[in-house]
């Protein structure tokens, strides 16, 4: 038998918000996206939510993401993420998720973040959590800029393909491995391991978990890293048990919605 691993979806599973939503605001501030992008992205988000997780919806989201990012400087994106990570992500990491990650690591398991968000976002978040392995969307790059093509879109069945490839290289025993997600779109990921768990599940995933007698966890305590270290142990994972993550486009839609509802616009930095 091989080693076991634990695969964590990121948005609403490990952090209490979308990683793409978090960086939408600084992307707008730095001129990477426009008001027109906000409107188009709001429509893309609506179609994604209404269309669910079928292949056509995911393909449209992937293609829109690729077109949106075309021409962006990769280094600029990385710099924005690095400069805003502790402000926009650190306060929203679930204490329960952080504790669970530590439990798996203490048991000798590799922990892997699996997210449809871009690798430029996901990898720094992983480093914040002490996780070095990530499976994330990768954009094609030419001369330091995104070319408008997607090398790998980490959504739906593609996540499972990447997990299987990593398992073959690392000699993971998937039957003895774990997976955590909040979304029905990750059904393939959850079904490919021996120990699937629904975290803060949407309605469809909760129903699936009940039908399959999968554990369901409710994470409710996002706490900044500094407080977690001072107040350990944080919220026990066992206490949350009940017994039984797309891309930059969604981030822009969120920013546009909140910008319209605010009384005073945020001044440019």
């Amino acid at each position: 038998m091989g080693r076991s691993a634990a695969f964590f979806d990121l948005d609403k599973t490990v952090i209490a918000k979308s990683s793409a939503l978090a960086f939408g605001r600084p992307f707008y501030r730095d001129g990477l996206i426009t008001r027109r992008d906000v409107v188009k992205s709001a429509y893309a988000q609506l179609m994604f939510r209404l269309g669910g997780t079928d292949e056509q919806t995911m393909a449209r989201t992937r293609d829109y993401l690729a077109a949106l990012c075309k021409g962006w400087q990769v280094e600029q994106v990385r710099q924005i993420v690095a400069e805003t990570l502790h402000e926009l992500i650190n306060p929203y990491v679930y204490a329960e998720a952080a504790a669970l990650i530590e439990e798996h690591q203490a048991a000798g398991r590799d922990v892997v973040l699996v997210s449809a968000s871009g690798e430029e976002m996901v990898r720094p978040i992983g480093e914040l959590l002490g996780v070095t392995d990530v499976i994330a969307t990768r954009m094609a790059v030419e001369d330091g800029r995104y070319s408008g093509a997607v090398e790998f879109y980490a959504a739906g069945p593609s996540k499972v393909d990447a997990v299987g490839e990593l398992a073959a290289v690392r000699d993971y025993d998937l039957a003895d491995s774990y997976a955590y997600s909040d979304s029905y779109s990750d059904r393939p990921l959850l079904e490919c391991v021996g120990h699937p768990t629904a975290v803060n599940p949407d309605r469809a995933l909760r129903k699936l978990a009940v039908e399959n007698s999968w554990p369901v966890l409710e994470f409710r305590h996002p706490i900044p890293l500094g407080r977690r270290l001072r107040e350990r142990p944080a919220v026990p994972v066992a206490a949350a048990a009940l017994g039984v993550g797309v891309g930059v486009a969604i981030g822009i839609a969120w920013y546009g919605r909140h910008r319209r509802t605010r009384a005073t616009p945020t001044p440019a930095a």
Side-chain angles (χ1 to χ4, degrees), residues 22-97:
F23 295 109
R25 182 173 175 177
F27 285 166
Y28 181 91
R29 178 199 66 201
D30 285 18
L32 292 179
I33 56 179
T34 66
R35 291 178 182 272
R36 183 180 181 186
D37 293 326
V38 171
V39 175
K40 292 173 65 177
S41 299
Y43 177 77
Q45 181 191 33
L46 177 63
M47 291 299 99
F48 183 84
R49 292 192 178 280
L50 294 180
T53 58
D54 62 275
E55 290 187 9
Q56 274 193 334
T57 302
M58 287 192 291
R60 285 197 298 267
T61 304
R62 177 201 64 208
D63 294 343
Y64 178 76
L65 173 65
L68 178 69
C69 298
K70 184 177 182 179
W72 291 6
Q73 292 184 356
V74 178
E75 190 55 38
Q76 182 182 9
V77 172
R78 290 174 177 165
Q79 183 175 350
I80 291 173
V81 172
E83 291 175 349
T84 58
L85 181 68
H86 286 274
E87 172 192 354
L88 300 177
I89 298 297
N90 183 31
Y92 298 96
V93 176
Y94 285 120
E96 301 94 331

Side-chain angles (χ1 to χ4, degrees), residues 231-264:
E231 301 173 6
R232 293 175 66 184
V235 180
V237 174
L242 301 184
V244 163
V246 286
V248 176
I250 299 178
I252 302 165
W254 173 88
Y255 178 71
R257 183 174 68 251
H258 283 264
R259 181 178 173 84
R260 288 192 296 272
T261 59
R262 293 180 60 172
T264 304

Side-chain angles (χ1 to χ4, degrees), residues 25 47 63 77 118 131-132 159 162 176 183 206-207 231 234 251:
R25 182 173 175 177
M47 291 299 99
D63 294 343
V77 172
V131 175
T132 57
K159 285 187 177 182
D176 193 34
S183 174
R206 187 179 295 275
K207 181 176 183 292
E231 301 173 6

